[in-house]
Amino acid sequence: MVKLKVKSHVQQERNMAGVGNKFAPLPPILLNKKKGEPYKPKTPEDAGGGKNPFARQLAHGEKDVRDATFRALGKWLGARSDVDMLDMKKIWKGLFYAMWHADGWDVQEELAEEIGGLIHKLKHRVALMYAGVFFITSRREWVGIDRHRMDKYLRLVRRFTSHVFRYCADRDWAEGVVGDVGEMFVRSALIPTGRGDQGVVDVGLRLHLAEVFVTELRNVAAGKDEVEIGCDPDKENEANGGAPRTVFRRKKGEKRKASPEPVPRPVPPHATDALLKPWAQLLQLEPHKTLHKRVLHQVFERVLEGADGGPAFSDPESVEDASSAVHVRLDAATMKRMARTFIDVGADEGTGDLQRESLYELHIWFRKASKRAAAAEGGDGEEEEAFLAKKEKKKRKKEPSPEPAPEEEEEEEEEE
């Protein structure tokens, strides 16, 4: 029998004695917090020398420090009409690790809502940079997220995307605002390099974004984007992941407030077109087949469900949440124009086989959808009847003509 030799703690300390000076200790954050007093965050004005102290404070291990710093960050960003790109990247590095330290689904849910909601307090230029650097940071850090923390970042992407759409809705889906947001998605989230890159590590982020994009757009358009945050205080055993802090929806014993009636804010056709353009550009350049399939079916096909004359109108039971789908609008003229763009781009010489196939498929979908919408807009049903008759005629042409029966052939020969 082999005996295992176990080192004593004295031997272990002797072995580790020479390792202590090999790695420099991490510099501690100097806290200005006295016992019993709230933490007072440092701002760039306090630090001086062009330094931005927000990142280290946002990534601090104590939740009180992170919360106080986030409130100070909101005031600091809200007072500015422009922010240096490097400062914004440092801030988002800190926010990313603030979410990393958030323990418990209720705390994570609260933080995701606060981070996304901050965009509504910012001026337009700063808001676009804030949203864009969020996606830049997520792309860079995505490969380092382990499976135990992935859910919290998926939730953050979903809630942040919802707030970006709400930002557009609060401005009545203005053409300039939606156009800027669409450009932000192109440059920061979908194709930041301006070309398709095979093997990039952030494909998982874009797959998730394609999955939640139309769902969150529908929720905002239908006025159903508000979420309840935290645990129910009346349920004593509601699990929050064993976290030391618990976020409650309301005080214990307090009556639950009635949810307000949702007020729809429909997405006009021009805004839907502007929000779909980034995905069309992605299909033009992206070499990942799995991502193509996800974008085609989860983004474009689902948007067409609620287009004029689409399944959400003609057969609501076949569409998931048809009542919300109809608020993301596309009319016949817009879809006809988009169909022409898809086939023109797909016909370019530099377009690859996979990209051309996806764009041609979109052309067929949108061309048919535009005809259905035109028929539905006609009102008297004449255009719809003409469209159906044309469709039936094409079907008959494809069907082989029936062969004459043997008896008829024999009768013809006898006559001869």
Side-chain angles (χ1 to χ4, degrees), residues 105-214:
W105 66 265
D106 50 338
V107 176
Q108 296 161 12
E109 199 174 57
E110 180 189 47
L111 182 59
E113 195 66 17
E114 288 177 346
I115 289 175
L118 182 56
I119 194 173
H120 305 294
K121 302 176 183 178
L122 309 180
K123 295 178 175 65
H124 184 61
R125 184 178 177 84
V126 180
L128 287 174
M129 183 181 290
Y130 179 76
V133 178
F134 161 69
F135 288 111
I136 291 172
T137 305
S138 298
R139 289 180 59 252
R140 185 183 65 240
E141 303 290 342
W142 200 259
V143 69
I145 303 173
D146 56 65
R147 61 189 180 89
H148 302 290
R149 292 181 172 88
M150 182 55 74
D151 283 349
K152 66 170 79 176
Y153 287 103
L154 294 176
R155 179 185 290 114
L156 176 60
V157 171
R158 178 183 286 272
R159 295 309 306 149
F160 196 92
T161 304
S162 175
H163 279 285
V164 169
F165 292 147
R166 194 187 300 181
Y167 178 84
C168 297
D170 290 344
R171 287 148 186 82
D172 298 324
W173 305 103
E175 192 170 348
V177 173
V178 180
D180 289 342
V181 168
E183 189 66 23
M184 179 274 298
F185 274 116
V186 172
R187 296 190 175 193
S188 303
L190 301 181
I191 38 177
T193 60
R195 63 184 189 279
D197 295 323
Q198 181 71 43
V200 291
V201 296
D202 66 327
V203 67
L205 170 63
R206 291 181 292 170
L207 284 168
H208 179 60
L209 188 57
E211 185 178 7
V212 304
F213 194 85
V214 175

Side-chain angles (χ1 to χ4, degrees), residues 347-363:
D348 288 345
E349 289 184 7
T351 306
D353 292 339
L354 174 64
Q355 292 82 354
R356 183 177 290 108
E357 184 181 341
S358 296
L359 289 167
Y360 282 1
E361 189 166 5
L362 281 183
H363 166 72

